[in-house]
Amino acid sequence: MKPFDYSRAADARTAVATVAARPGAAYLGGGTNLVDHLKLGVARPDLLVDISRLPFDRVEELPDGGVRIGANVRNSDLAAHPLVRQRFPALAKALLSGASGQLRNAATTGGNLLQRTRCVYFQDVTTPCNKRAPGSGCAALGGYNRYHAVLGASEHCVAVHPSDLAVALSALDAVAVVLREDGELRVPVAELHRLPGDTPDRDTVLGQGDLITAVEVPTLPATARSAYRKVRDRASFAFALVSVAAVLVVEAGTVREARIALGGVAHKPWRATHAEQELRGAPATEDAYRRAADAELAAAEPLPGNGFKIPMTRNTLAAVLRGLSEPDPQERR
Ligand SMILES: Cc1cc2nc3c(=O)[nH]c(=O)nc-3n(C[C@H](O)[C@H](O)[C@H](O)COP(=O)(O)OP(=O)(O)OC[C@H]3O[C@@H](n4cnc5c(N)ncnc54)[C@H](O)[C@@H]3O)c2cc1C
């Protein structure tokens, strides 16, 4: 492991100034992703600025009934928070579907959103990977690509974004509050992560030194129901093959509003805007749900190892929407 300096941030502005001024510096949250990458040689910072003790550790109610989540709120505390459990069960469910109890006790909200891909080639420094070593190639294209992208990928990178929380926040229209040297910025979570294009080394729209201080989740319409469903190879400690977060408003058998985000299918949480458009004003029926899924998946391009993701996404999306329109008490808002 490359040697690095360590400092504990005294306050957010000093942390931002320090990391912005030093290209080799990185923030340390709970460390559950970054420390693995230090050990694997995937990340080689020369300074870690520990932000885990900055006072961003509260979940607060917003005047509109939404919640403001401090960037240092641990995943397990967030999943257990009464406001989250009552008003945003999809969020709690997404969190509890991720990692393990021990990891969730350490992992922070900010770090979870900015965790890096689990592509095996990204994590193996002996293989080509344009995300880790730009210009070196993409070993996943001709290799093991069962977990990889079917939407929005490029010839340079087919990795997927791993966070369950980010998928739920995207469907909930949440906004990340970001501190940078010249002030505060509000970035919709649905626009925080980017597609790989020819610069897959950049996961997000954030720049060096940008610090997530909080995430705000606006209230849902009174009749909205929300759900998160994750399909994976085993029941715990496994990343999504496919996941679906959805918010649905159905009135008198007609879909009034639909917000859908897909996980495990793209380099970012994939906001399913084509499906949403197809659903607004449509009858709340199985046929309409499957048509919406087909509209979204029309652009899907499977790799040799992951063609199954297309019917899996279609079926999971239809099942989630069906569950929300014929509510299961477990999935009700
Ligand atoms: C075995 C295993 C299984 C897992 N399974 C899942 C899963 O199923 N689903 C899932 O979603 N996750 C899963 N995870 C990932 C886990 O959720 C993440 O490691 C964790 O959420 C990262 O949070 P952290 O606070 O530890 O981040 P860190 O490791 O501290 O940081 C991650 C990145 O974010 C940056 N960063 C941290 N905080 C901030 C901030 N406030 N502002 C700006 N930059 C910041 C760091 O510089 C670093 O680049 C798994 C992890 C492991 C090890």
Side-chain angles (χ1 to χ4, degrees):
M1 194 189 329
K2 182 183 157 192
F4 57 86
D5 296 329
Y6 169 91
S7 78
R8 187 172 290 161
D11 62 84
R13 290 207 173 274
T14 312
V16 168
T18 305
V19 175
R22 196 153 152 182
Y27 294 120
L28 179 68
T32 62
N33 189 227
L34 184 53
V35 173
D36 280 355
H37 287 166
L38 299 181
K39 292 190 261 185
L40 292 166
V42 169
R44 299 171 52 79
D46 51 36
L47 169 66
L48 288 189
V49 175
D50 185 345
I51 52 164
S52 65
R53 300 189 196 199
L54 292 178
F56 305 135
D57 55 354
R58 296 181 57 194
V59 179
E60 295 161 298
E61 186 172 9
L62 291 169
D64 75 346
V67 289
R68 181 180 166 96
I69 304 160
N72 283 337
V73 173
R74 306 289 164 163
N75 289 179
S76 38
D77 293 335
L78 185 58
H81 196 282
L83 278 177
V84 172
R85 288 170 59 105
Q86 282 159 18
R87 296 184 192 171
F88 305 104
L91 203 56
K93 201 159 174 197
L95 285 159
L96 293 173
S97 76
S100 66
Q102 281 169 316
L103 283 161
R104 293 194 296 269
N105 287 343
T108 63
T109 302
N112 187 308
L113 293 181
L114 298 183
Q115 63 176 294
R116 306 210 68 195
T117 184
R118 308 302 288 202
C119 173
V120 288
Y121 303 104
F122 175 73
Q123 295 185 306
D124 178 353
V125 294
T126 66
T127 61
C129 171
N130 289 321
K131 182 178 276 300
R132 174 173 35 75
S136 62
C138 174
L141 278 173
Y144 179 73
N145 46 40
R146 172 173 162 77
Y147 276 89
H148 291 69
V150 293
L151 287 164
S154 77
E155 60 182 312
H156 304 288
C157 182
V158 292
V160 294
H161 180 71
S163 164
D164 291 293
L165 173 63
V167 176
L169 288 174
S170 178
L172 290 166
D173 279 345
V175 172
V177 183
V178 177
L179 187 66
R180 58 169 54 157
E181 278 195 294
D182 55 3
E184 199 173 84
L185 190 74
R186 294 173 63 81
V187 184
V189 172
E191 294 165 25
L192 178 65
H193 301 89
R194 46 187 303 283
L195 292 178
D198 56 7
T199 51
D201 50 312
R202 289 187 53 220
D203 292 349
T204 70
V205 298
L206 300 184
Q208 177 68 18
D210 287 357
L211 177 70
I212 298 180
T213 56
V215 174
E216 293 186 358
V217 189
T219 191
L220 289 173
T223 53
R225 296 196 170 98
S226 63
Y228 184 79
R229 190 172 295 182
K230 175 174 177 179
V231 183
R232 49 190 161 167
D233 278 330
R234 53 171 190 246
S236 95
F237 226 49
F239 287 87
L241 289 164
V242 162
S243 70
V244 173
V247 175
L248 196 69
V249 178
V250 175
E251 287 167 9
T254 299
V255 176
R256 294 291 170 213
E257 187 179 346
R259 293 191 234 149
I260 298 164
L262 306 175
V265 296
H267 195 256
K268 56 183 285 186
W270 185 267
R271 190 67 191 250
T273 51
H274 297 292
E276 292 175 3
Q277 206 174 331
E278 189 79 23
L279 284 168
R280 284 190 197 105
T285 60
E286 181 80 18
D287 276 357
Y289 297 155
R290 290 194 174 269
R291 268 199 306 278
D294 289 341
E296 196 60 48
L297 292 166
E301 291 184 87
L303 296 160
N306 69 5
F308 69 91
K309 282 195 178 186
I310 294 174
M312 183 180 274
T313 305
R314 184 175 192 259
N315 292 337
T316 309
L317 177 53
V320 167
L321 295 174
R322 194 169 59 236
L324 288 173
S325 44
E326 295 165 5
D328 168 341
Q330 294 284 323
E331 284 187 331
R332 292 191 65 161
R333 173 187 129 84

